[in-house]
Amino acid sequence: MDFHEVYNRSSPNMILDSIHMSLKNGIDVEKFEQLTAAAEEDPANAEFRFFAETEWSGETTCKTTVSDIEKGGTLVESPEFTMEGALFGHRDAPNALEQLLSSLGTCLTITYAAHGAKQDIPISEIHLEFEGSVDMRGLLGLTDDVRPGFDEIECTAHIESPASVDELEKLQEIAHSRSPILDNLENEVTVDVQQTFTE
């Protein structure tokens, strides 16, 4: 993944709110540290399992529903969210590749903000721009020489902060290495697909 970073160093008083000293970059640092300590004390506290169900809506559209999560072997109730997806000319919803870029953007943004707060780096703005090109011949099965997914994803990260360039470059390294979605994209993940058939 090609990653560029653009810095805009602003005044600290634009970011820190003296009324909420435990909040940095909008992150509750105290709670973040408590979660870190709990995971360090017992690794089971860091074990999460996520679920998603996708149902075909007809043509080249579908709906995906996510709700409860599992934490440390215990099911935790969560609101239900439904996301629509489309492909091949349908623009009623983002296509799957755009949703992948969106997931990456969400994950990197939160990782920047959270670890920036942990490193005591104030950030007033994070703006990520993504581009990815794909050759549809792979999806269409026209050739085995073309992969169906992205060949490369380019990201430009615009970071507004009064921190030094060295501090922000270090933060980029941390965000890059700690982002779960980026890790999934850059490293092999086993996907076990089991089918059931009905007539």
Side-chain angles (χ1 to χ4, degrees), residues 1-4 101 129-133 152-156:
M1 177 174 165
D2 190 9
F3 205 104
H4 309 282
L101 296 180
E129 298 175 359
F130 293 93
E131 292 184 22
S133 298
E152 182 183 34
I153 296 174
E154 296 180 0
C155 173
T156 300

Side-chain angles (χ1 to χ4, degrees), residues 82-104:
T82 299
M83 301 164 288
E84 296 187 356
L87 197 63
F88 289 142
H90 285 272
R91 293 306 293 172
D92 299 330
N95 65 50
L97 293 169
E98 290 167 330
Q99 291 190 37
L100 176 63
L101 296 180
S102 173
S103 295
L104 177 57

